[in-house]
Amino acid sequence: MKLASRIKCLVYFLYSYAIFLAISGIVLVIFGGYILYNHLGYGLLVEGGAWGPSAATLCLGLVTICVTWMGWHAVAKRNQCRLYLFGMSLLGIILISVFLCIWSLTIRKEMQGSAITPVENSFNDFLADTATINDHTHLWNRLQSEMQCCGVHGITDYIRTSIPWSCCRRPDNPSDPRCVSSYQRGCLFALTEETRQRLIYISVASLIFALVQIMGIFMVVHLVVLLKEQERGDIESRISSRNTELLPFNAQTGTPTRNPSAPTATTKSNQVNLHESLHADLKKAQAQRLSSS
């Protein structure tokens, strides 16, 4: 395959990769925002920075969209400096994704111990003032209803008071007000398991996202190598054409000259002009590359 065809094919692959990368960034924004929204609903119960990985996932998606825009323009202009910057940005995304994966797994490991104290304190405040409706009342009613749990460690936490409606299983008939049965598992276990499961999702998603960037870096490096090879071939072809133009007429037509081993003054001056012209062309190409970057 010719060099120009290889470059054109690789450019199309990079365009497809940029579209896929933009879609992945949008998915990360939605995914991180959804997990962050659900986590902040129980922010009084879960402490220790467990919301950090979800917020970092959202920010990583926004950064990915910006990097995709930069990479699209770099591929469109085939600018080597911008392609280098695009490749370095993809490498930075890989490092951030790996760090996010390790961070999520570390928080998940410490999740059980760090959630006990805030959950118990919030539950004690909920039991201490059951006559009025406050933030803890709404929080625990929503928690017990959504996660189908009751109390901190189980239904026995309500042994000294009446069981709230949020601990009751919903009957088959929605109009039936009776509490047929109650949830048995504690909300501490349900909340920590739900949060740990979300952290697993973040760690897996960030690891897969990091692996995808490796393919992008490979294509960017390959395109830069091909562009350098094309630039070197263009310079060599210009030098060859200039040398052919500056040969004596007799040397081009094959007619023998009187003394072919002794170059004339005109040939020497033409060679000097050739070198000066090539030097000027190289400076002009470098100036155009810098101005375009």
Side-chain angles (χ1 to χ4, degrees):
M1 184 184 295
K2 294 183 179 180
L3 182 60
S5 301
R6 291 168 61 189
I7 292 177
K8 186 177 181 180
C9 181
L10 190 57
V11 166
Y12 285 142
F13 272 114
L14 278 171
Y15 279 143
S16 303
Y17 173 78
I19 295 173
F20 173 76
L21 192 62
I23 295 174
S24 300
I26 295 173
V27 171
L28 280 181
V29 170
I30 297 174
F31 176 67
Y34 172 76
I35 294 181
L36 182 62
Y37 174 77
N38 289 331
H39 177 80
L40 293 180
Y42 303 109
L44 295 175
L45 302 179
V46 182
E47 297 180 356
W51 57 271
S54 55
T57 303
L58 190 150
C59 296
L60 180 61
L62 296 175
V63 171
T64 302
I65 295 174
C66 296
V67 171
T68 302
W69 178 83
M70 178 185 63
W72 183 278
H73 286 276
V75 175
K77 294 184 177 181
R78 300 184 185 181
N79 185 279
Q80 295 183 22
C81 294
R82 292 189 180 184
L83 287 172
Y84 276 127
L85 184 59
F86 180 45
M88 294 300 295
S89 300
L90 293 179
L91 181 60
I93 290 177
I94 291 177
L95 297 178
I96 294 174
S97 300
V98 173
F99 171 76
L100 182 57
C101 177
I102 297 174
W103 186 23
S104 300
L105 294 177
T106 302
I107 294 178
R108 182 181 182 274
K109 185 178 180 180
E110 301 173 353
M111 189 72 234
Q112 187 71 31
S114 62
I116 294 177
T117 301
V119 170
E120 289 182 345
N121 291 338
S122 177
F123 185 73
N124 291 332
D125 294 337
F126 168 62
L127 292 181
D129 196 8
T130 56
T132 59
I133 299 177
N134 51 34
D135 292 339
H136 295 283
T137 303
H138 291 297
L139 178 64
W140 276 93
N141 284 331
R142 186 175 72 252
L143 175 64
Q144 293 175 146
S145 178
E146 291 181 355
M147 295 195 176
Q148 298 182 355
C149 57
C150 191
V152 177
H153 303 285
I155 196 173
T156 56
D157 292 334
Y158 291 103
I159 194 171
R160 296 182 180 180
T161 183
S162 60
I163 300 175
W165 62 268
S166 55
C167 282
C168 296
R169 295 182 183 274
R170 295 180 181 180
D172 296 334
N173 186 6
S175 61
D176 191 354
R178 295 178 301 170
C179 182
V180 179
S181 61
S182 301
Y183 302 123
Q184 299 299 317
R185 68 171 181 170
C187 290
L188 175 62
F189 174 79
L191 181 62
T192 53
E193 285 301 311
E194 182 72 17
T195 306
R196 285 160 61 92
Q197 190 69 24
R198 291 170 183 170
L199 291 173
I200 281 290
Y201 292 154
I202 292 176
S203 61
V204 172
S206 59
L207 184 60
I208 295 175
F209 192 65
L211 295 176
V212 171
Q213 310 312 314
I214 298 176
M215 178 179 61
I217 292 178
F218 172 77
M219 289 191 291
V220 169
V221 172
H222 194 192
L223 179 60
V224 171
V225 171
L226 292 181
L227 290 176
K228 285 187 175 181
E229 185 177 347
Q230 185 184 46
E231 182 180 356
R232 186 165 53 250
D234 293 340
I235 294 175
E236 291 177 355
S237 63
R238 286 202 300 268
I239 292 175
S240 177
S241 62
R242 292 286 181 88
N243 287 333
T244 303
E245 291 174 359
L246 294 175
L247 284 175
F249 178 75
N250 292 333
Q252 296 182 25
T253 57
T255 305
T257 60
R258 295 180 180 179
N259 188 10
S261 61
T264 62
T266 305
T267 304
K268 290 182 179 180
S269 63
N270 288 337
Q271 290 178 355
V272 172
N273 292 333
L274 170 63
H275 289 293
E276 291 179 353
S277 177
L278 291 176
H279 187 66
D281 289 344
L282 289 176
K283 283 189 174 181
K284 184 177 180 181
Q286 291 177 355
Q288 289 179 352
R289 193 181 305 114
L290 291 175
S291 62
S292 62
S293 62

